[in-house]
Amino acid sequence: MKLRKKSGAIWLLAVLLFCSAAFWGFNRDERNFEISKNLNIYYTLFRELNLFYVDEIDPGDLVKKSMDAMLTTLDPYTTYISESEIEDFKLMTTGEYAGIGSLISKHKDEVIIAEPYEGFPAFKAGLKAGDVLLEINGTSVSKKSTDDVSSLLKGQPNVPLTIKIKRPGVDKIMEKKLVRENIQLKSVPYYGMVSDSVGYILLNQFTDKASGEIKAALKELKEQNAKSIVLDLRGNPGGLLDQAIEIVNLFVNKGEDIVSTKGKVSQWDKSYTATKTPFDAEIPIAVLVNRGSASASEIVSGAIQDLDRGVVIGERTFGKGLVQTTRNLTYNAKLKVTTAKYYIPSGRCIQALDYSHRNEDGSVGKIADSLITEFHTKNGRSVFDGGGVLPDLKIESERYSSLTINLIRNFMVFDYATLYANSHDKIASSKEFKISDQEFEKFSQYIKEQKFVYESESTEILDALKKSAKEEKYFDISTNEFDALTAKLTPNLDRDLTRFKDEISDLLAHEIIKRYYYQNGGIEYSLKDDKTLLKAIEVLENKTEYLGILDGSIGLHALNKQK
C-alpha cells in the first residue's frame, strides 16, 4: 500500500514537472515570438522611412536616437555606447586617453581652453585658460561643437599638432606647436596635511587606479605624522565597484563584509568581503559626502558607516544603489546595463528612485516612506534604506546667490580672471592670495561695462503669484504688499554686489589662483574655509566626540534613537 502511494506521488510529481516545463516553454516561446514580431515591425518601419520620407535621413543617427529613447524608459544608467564613444568610456573607467591634457568648453560661439592640466602638452606649450581655439592642424574650429573639437585634439599619441589661438588682451593670433601624449588623469588629484595630525585625501573618481593612489597617499601622509584621515568623496559620481571594495579593504580587517549584489540573474549575485590585510584598520577616519556623492562613493561611505569604522560628515548622498555591467555588442559597440542592486553591510540598499514603478506622466518617484526599513550598524546604530547614506553629522553645503550663479553661468568670473592673468605676471601663494577692495571694484566696473543683466527665481515666482492673484481677484487688496516685495526681490546689481561681495570675491580669487597654481592651487585655496572639512578636523582631534558618534550617543543616529 505504501509502495503504491509512493509510486502515485512520484507519478504526480512527474506530471507537475512536465506541466510546469511545458508552461514555461510556452511562456518562453510566446515571449520569443513577441520579440521577433516587434523587431520585424521595427525593421519594416525603418525601411519604409528610409525609402519614402520626404527629406534625406541619417540612418545611423536615427537608429542611435531610437535606441537611446528606448533605454531611457528603464533608468538613466542603462546606455548604449557606440564605437565612436568607446574612448570616452575608456576615459571614465581608466582615466586614460591620448590628447593634449586640457579641459575645453563652449563660450558663446567659440571653443576655449577652460583649464590646462599641469605637466601635459597644453601646459608645456603655454596654452592658458581662456585661449580661444581657431585652428587645429589647419582645420578651422569656428562654430564647431566641443565634441567635434575634442575629436580633433584626441587621437594617436606622438602626433604633432599645430594650434592657432586668440588670447584675450593680446592683439595678434598665436600659434602653438605640441605633441599629443598619453594622458593619465589622477583619481586622487590632491592630498596633504590639513592640521598637525590630520591628513586629507581628495578622491574624485573610481578609476582602475583609485585604490592604489589612495594607498600611496596614505603611506606618505603617515610619514608626515598623520594620526587620522579625512577622505573627501564630495561630488564623486562613482565608478568601478572593485575599486570601492579595495578602498574599504584598506581600512577594515580581512573577512569583513563590504557589499553584496542581487539581480535577476541569480548566478551573478555575489557577496564581496575584504580579502586583503588592511593598510591600517585602526586610524580614525572621517568621510566627507554631499548630494553629488553617488554609487561607488556610497559603497565606501556606507560600508565605513555600517561597520562603525569611521564617521560620515556632510549631506545625504545621491542614492544610486544600482550596479551596471558592460556587455559587448557587434561592431565594437557596448551596452552598459543595470544588472543588480547593491546592499551594504547592514543589509540596506540606498537606491532613492524606484524606476520599476513610474508615475502616469513617466516621472520617477522616490521610495515611499512606508517602505523605508530600519537597519543597524555593527555597533547597533539605526540606519535606513531608501535614499542615500545619511551622514552621522549633517552640514549643509553653501548655497550661492542668484547673482553669483548668473556671474558664473555668463562667464563673467572666468573672463575677468583671464584678463587678470594675462596682465599680471605673478600673485601671492594660493594660501595668501585674496581679492582687495580695489580689485573687487574693478570687477564690478567690468561687469557693468559688459552690460551684464540677470534674473532671479524669486521674481519669476512673484510674477506667477501676481498673475494668480489677479485671476482670483485678490490683487487689488494686496497691491502694497506686492509692491514692497517687488522692490525687495527685483535684482539690483549695485545692492547685490555689496550684499554678496564675500562669496563673489571668494569665487573670483579661486578662479584667478587656478591660472597660476592650477588644480592643486585651486584645491588648497578652497579648503581654507571649508566648513565641512573644519568640522571633520574638529571631530578627529576630539576622541570623545569621535567615539561618541560611533557608539550612537552623538550625532543624527542619537536623534534617531531618541524618537
Side-chain angles (χ1 to χ4, degrees):
M1 186 74 175
K2 286 182 180 178
L3 183 62
R4 187 180 299 170
K5 285 183 178 179
K6 190 173 182 180
S7 298
I10 292 171
W11 179 83
L12 179 60
L13 179 61
V15 170
L16 287 172
L17 286 172
F18 175 79
C19 290
S20 296
F23 181 73
W24 180 82
F26 174 77
N27 281 343
R28 183 188 61 184
D29 289 343
E30 187 178 34
R31 184 180 180 84
N32 287 342
F33 171 72
E34 281 298 311
I35 292 171
S36 178
K37 181 182 81 172
N38 284 290
L39 285 175
N40 193 43
I41 292 170
Y42 180 84
Y43 165 72
T44 53
L45 179 147
F46 186 81
R47 183 189 62 196
E48 298 303 306
L49 266 180
N50 193 43
L51 285 172
F52 299 114
Y53 186 71
V54 62
D55 296 318
E56 285 296 318
I57 63 173
D58 182 337
D61 181 59
L62 204 61
V63 171
K64 172 78 165 60
K65 286 177 178 174
S66 68
M67 289 192 291
D68 289 343
M70 171 182 69
L71 296 178
T72 56
T73 64
L74 302 176
D75 64 56
Y77 316 111
T78 296
T79 57
Y80 166 67
I81 304 166
S82 65
E83 184 177 13
S84 63
E85 298 168 321
I86 291 297
E87 284 302 312
D88 290 334
F89 175 71
K90 180 183 174 184
L91 173 60
M92 288 167 49
T93 55
T94 67
E96 294 178 15
Y97 70 99
I100 68 169
S102 78
L103 184 67
I104 62 173
S105 181
K106 192 78 170 179
H107 185 2
K108 298 177 182 175
D109 290 331
E110 300 170 324
V111 175
I112 63 170
I113 299 289
E115 182 180 354
Y117 301 137
E118 195 170 6
F120 292 121
F123 168 84
K124 289 186 271 190
L127 287 171
K128 294 183 177 182
D131 287 347
V132 179
L133 298 174
L134 301 176
E135 286 185 12
I136 300 171
N137 277 357
T139 300
S140 172
V141 298
S142 175
K143 297 185 180 178
K144 285 188 181 291
S145 69
T146 51
D147 286 341
D148 290 337
V149 175
S150 179
S151 297
L152 292 171
L153 294 172
K154 292 177 182 176
Q156 292 298 316
N158 303 316
V159 172
L161 296 176
T162 300
I163 299 177
K164 287 186 178 180
I165 63 164
K166 178 177 64 179
R167 178 165 292 169
V170 178
D171 292 334
K172 65 178 182 178
I173 301 299
M174 304 172 72
E175 186 174 279
K176 301 290 184 179
K177 293 185 180 296
L178 58 160
V179 177
R180 207 184 273 141
E181 292 180 12
N182 284 318
I183 310 296
Q184 175 65 63
L185 298 180
K186 292 180 179 179
S187 295
V188 177
Y190 181 86
Y191 62 90
M193 297 296 293
V194 287
S195 79
D196 292 340
S197 62
V198 180
Y200 169 88
I201 301 173
L202 172 62
L203 181 70
N204 62 11
Q205 55 185 340
F206 285 80
T207 67
D208 57 359
K209 298 171 184 65
S211 61
E213 291 182 34
I214 292 276
K215 188 174 181 179
L218 283 169
K219 184 178 179 181
E220 191 168 329
L221 289 171
K222 289 194 73 173
E223 289 172 355
Q224 296 177 34
N225 200 41
K227 305 298 183 188
S228 54
I229 294 294
V230 175
L231 178 60
D232 194 344
L233 300 179
R234 289 174 295 179
N236 187 323
L240 299 176
L241 173 65
D242 67 309
Q243 291 300 298
I245 295 162
E246 289 196 26
I247 289 169
V248 175
N249 196 169
L250 291 171
F251 302 106
V252 303
N253 288 315
K254 194 173 180 178
E256 288 277 18
D257 291 330
I258 296 176
V259 66
S260 60
T261 60
K262 297 177 186 176
K264 184 167 70 175
V265 182
S266 58
Q267 297 94 317
W268 289 1
D269 292 351
K270 192 171 182 180
S271 295
Y272 298 89
T273 58
T275 59
K276 300 175 182 177
T277 302
F279 180 82
D280 191 329
E282 302 295 330
I283 192 168
I285 308 165
V287 183
L288 309 187
V289 295
N290 63 9
R291 291 176 295 174
S293 306
S295 193
S297 291
E298 295 173 295
I299 293 174
V300 172
S301 56
I304 292 293
Q305 186 179 69
D306 281 359
L307 297 171
D308 295 304
R309 179 59 189 85
V311 299
V312 179
I313 301 176
E315 297 176 302
R316 184 188 290 273
T317 61
F318 182 81
K320 180 181 179 290
L322 303 176
V323 180
Q324 282 72 48
T325 303
T326 304
R327 306 291 296 172
N328 292 327
L329 305 176
T330 55
Y331 297 101
N332 298 318
K334 293 181 184 292
L335 172 67
K336 183 159 69 77
V337 56
T338 299
T339 53
K341 293 180 179 179
Y342 67 71
Y343 299 81
I344 48 183
S346 63
R348 57 181 167 145
C349 178
I350 50 78
Q351 176 62 25
L353 298 178
D354 185 4
Y355 293 103
S356 61
H357 297 90
R358 290 180 179 266
N359 300 321
E360 288 185 7
D361 63 357
S363 62
V364 181
K366 291 194 172 184
I367 305 295
D369 289 345
S370 59
L371 299 177
I372 291 176
T373 307
E374 181 177 359
F375 296 82
H376 296 91
T377 70
K378 197 173 183 180
N379 287 343
R381 295 185 295 158
S382 295
V383 288
F384 300 87
D385 65 1
V389 175
L390 184 68
D392 302 309
L393 292 176
K394 189 175 181 181
I395 298 179
E396 294 288 346
S397 295
E398 294 287 343
R399 300 289 187 265
Y400 288 129
S401 66
S402 177
L403 170 59
T404 304
I405 291 169
N406 278 279
L407 287 171
I408 296 168
R409 189 177 292 156
N410 288 279
F411 281 82
M412 291 292 112
V413 172
F414 183 91
D415 287 346
Y416 188 82
T418 298
L419 294 173
Y420 184 97
N422 289 339
S423 59
H424 293 74
D425 291 333
K426 60 183 181 179
I427 61 171
S429 71
S430 59
K431 293 181 179 179
E432 296 172 344
F433 180 79
K434 62 180 182 179
I435 298 296
S436 65
D437 291 342
Q438 294 85 349
E439 198 62 51
F440 187 80
E441 185 57 39
K442 288 181 183 178
F443 172 72
S444 301
Q445 190 60 38
Y446 168 77
I447 64 175
K448 291 173 184 177
E449 290 169 357
Q450 300 301 309
K451 295 183 170 38
F452 168 74
V453 293
Y454 64 105
E455 300 290 335
S456 78
E457 188 176 342
S458 299
T459 54
E460 291 176 7
I461 294 172
L462 181 60
D463 287 342
L465 181 60
K466 283 181 181 177
K467 183 179 179 182
S468 295
K470 288 175 180 176
E471 289 174 353
E472 296 176 0
K473 298 187 177 180
Y474 291 123
F475 184 77
D476 291 341
I477 61 172
S478 310
T479 305
N480 293 337
E481 288 84 351
F482 275 116
D483 288 343
L485 272 174
T486 300
K488 288 182 178 180
L489 297 180
T490 298
N492 180 304
L493 188 56
D494 287 322
R495 179 199 66 195
D496 290 348
L497 279 170
T498 301
R499 185 178 179 188
F500 304 116
K501 178 181 177 181
D502 289 345
E503 68 180 36
I504 296 168
S505 294
D506 187 59
L507 276 171
L508 187 57
H510 180 261
E511 190 63 46
I512 290 173
I513 283 169
K514 288 198 300 180
R515 307 306 172 95
Y516 297 87
Y517 302 111
Y518 301 93
Q519 189 177 45
N520 271 14
I523 294 169
E524 279 185 349
Y525 178 82
S526 65
L527 295 179
K528 282 195 311 179
D529 300 312
D530 188 323
K531 290 195 305 181
T532 308
L533 174 60
L534 292 173
K535 182 60 181 177
I537 295 169
E538 178 191 319
V539 170
L540 290 169
E541 291 181 339
N542 184 333
K543 189 174 181 180
T544 300
E545 185 175 7
Y546 180 79
L547 294 177
I549 293 170
L550 295 184
D551 68 20
S553 60
I554 298 175
L556 289 179
H557 301 288
L559 295 176
N560 289 333
K561 193 180 289 185
Q562 291 165 12
K563 287 180 180 178

